[in-house]
Amino acid sequence: MTLRHRALLLLGLALAGVIGAGGFLWGRSAGGDEPTAPRDLVLTAVMGQGIWTDESVTAANSWRRDFRPARPVVQVGRPVRLRLESADVVHSFAAPDLGIAEVEVYPGRGVDVVFTPREEGVFEFWCTTVCGKGHFTMRGFLEVSADGVPRTAVPARPGQGYWTVADPGPGADPAALGEALYWRSGCVACHGEDGRGGVPNPGSMNALVPPLDDFPRKVFLFTPEDVAGFRELFLAGGDGMDVSEEPEIPLLETVRGQVEATRELIRNGRRSSALDPAGPHPPLDMPAWGRQLDDPEIDLILGYLLSLGEAERTATPPTHGETP
């Protein structure tokens, strides 16, 4: 072997050692202890169940209705390569507290999002496009822990299977009819069962979706008797306007104005106000229901909300039918 060949061989061995060391270091953090190779995670939107799942959804099994909701756990400081897919229609994905703004997800065309979680905790994610009957429970929770092992119980999601709630049938109490509509329309998923609220809306001026169990007080009805009297008039005449005898309810004109304003809000919807206009938009907006619900249906929901302020009201959960 000539001197030139020997020098080239030594140079090649040296370069191989550098590349090998670089490859080793690429898979390690600066301290050499924590892996930095991205964690691959796939979430698929399944509108028919109202969930994101981490199970494999294919053309052969997409008819199933028993996919498990995803409950991903990742490691703090380790990059995550999140693959988002749709099993049915167009969705969108947002996780504001993880710095993930709205991403559109189309059937048959997955999209990758790469992020690095910087703190431990449980972070909620949403579908933010009204995609169909199961949209309002298309949210889930991603946990970030020090070692990628689950540490925290996942909060319960209100309103699961809301679209399967059965119609109480003809002759049912108007409050029961209104409650069934409140469930079937998905109001329960954001405003909670019996209007208790408490659902987070990250990045919104209101950190939580407003409760509705205090709706009578919001429209200036302060006693159970006044609530019951106005609800009877409201359901009989739409807004209590067409009555021959003026009821003895304080601030009646104000009450009527507030109820009408709420009607308009339900019809037309409203976007949430962002706490930081430069940041991701809050995931939950009030949809415009004017095309899905007619005025009598909206009035039944308002009548149900009024009933929450009546004396000795016994809450009974609505009956669910079979999942379509």
Side-chain angles (χ1 to χ4, degrees):
M1 179 180 294
T2 66
L3 182 61
R4 180 172 179 272
H5 286 160
R6 185 174 299 172
L8 288 172
L9 177 61
L10 291 174
L11 177 61
L13 290 173
L15 287 173
V18 170
I19 293 172
F24 175 77
L25 292 174
W26 179 263
R28 298 285 171 179
S29 67
D33 297 325
E34 298 294 333
T36 57
R39 156 82 190 281
D40 288 320
L41 179 63
V42 179
L43 296 180
T44 302
V46 183
M47 184 270 292
Q49 278 185 255
I51 63 168
W52 294 86
T53 183
D54 54 3
E55 292 189 271
S56 175
V57 183
T58 66
N61 70 1
S62 60
W63 55 268
R64 284 174 42 192
R65 289 295 178 266
D66 60 351
F67 292 106
R68 67 169 179 262
R71 205 295 199 191
V73 183
V74 299
Q75 187 175 357
V76 66
R78 179 177 180 178
V80 177
R81 183 164 45 227
L82 177 60
R83 178 77 169 176
L84 300 169
E85 299 181 346
S86 167
D88 34 54
V89 296
V90 177
H91 298 271
S92 55
F93 179 94
D97 286 343
L98 290 170
I100 302 175
E102 185 176 86
V103 179
E104 291 189 331
V105 186
Y106 293 88
R109 196 171 77 199
V111 60
D112 290 336
V113 176
V114 178
F115 68 98
T116 302
R118 299 298 183 187
E119 59 179 311
E120 296 181 54
V122 175
F123 303 92
E124 197 161 3
F125 55 84
W126 289 263
C127 172
T128 53
T129 294
V130 180
C131 52
K133 65 182 181 182
H135 166 71
F136 295 103
T137 52
M138 292 205 61
R139 56 176 65 135
F141 298 92
L142 184 147
E143 181 177 353
V144 181
S145 67
D147 53 5
V149 175
R151 294 282 185 271
T152 308
V154 169
R157 298 182 299 168
Q160 284 299 107
Y162 62 85
W163 60 91
T164 70
V165 164
D167 190 322
D173 178 74
L177 292 169
E179 183 175 21
L181 279 169
Y182 175 86
W183 272 76
R184 289 205 307 272
S185 302
C187 313
V188 63
C190 293
H191 294 283
E193 297 180 18
D194 287 317
R196 291 190 293 267
V199 174
N201 193 13
S204 171
M205 293 287 287
N206 297 318
L208 302 176
V209 176
L212 297 175
D213 55 357
D214 60 350
F215 176 67
R217 295 184 63 83
K218 288 176 178 175
V219 298
F220 299 100
L221 291 167
F222 298 109
T223 70
E225 294 75 21
D226 288 345
V227 171
F230 182 80
R231 187 169 79 92
E232 182 179 355
L233 292 173
F234 177 76
L235 293 175
D239 55 10
M241 299 288 191
D242 303 324
V243 294
S244 57
E245 184 176 340
E246 189 77 4
E248 295 183 3
I249 297 175
L251 303 174
L252 180 58
E253 292 305 316
T254 301
V255 173
R256 287 169 170 162
Q258 292 296 310
V259 171
E260 179 57 32
T262 307
R263 254 205 205 120
E264 287 300 306
L265 174 60
I266 295 173
R267 287 188 190 116
N268 301 322
R270 183 170 64 194
R271 280 176 63 82
S272 296
S273 298
L275 191 61
D276 177 8
H281 184 75
L284 301 178
D285 290 320
M286 174 68 181
W289 288 103
R291 294 184 179 180
Q292 286 77 31
L293 299 172
D294 58 29
D295 282 353
E297 289 174 323
I298 291 174
D299 287 349
L300 281 171
I301 292 175
L302 289 171
Y304 160 64
L305 297 178
L306 288 168
S307 78
L308 299 177
E310 292 184 9
E312 300 180 359
R313 179 183 179 275
T314 302
T316 56
T319 303
H320 287 254
E322 294 295 323
T323 303

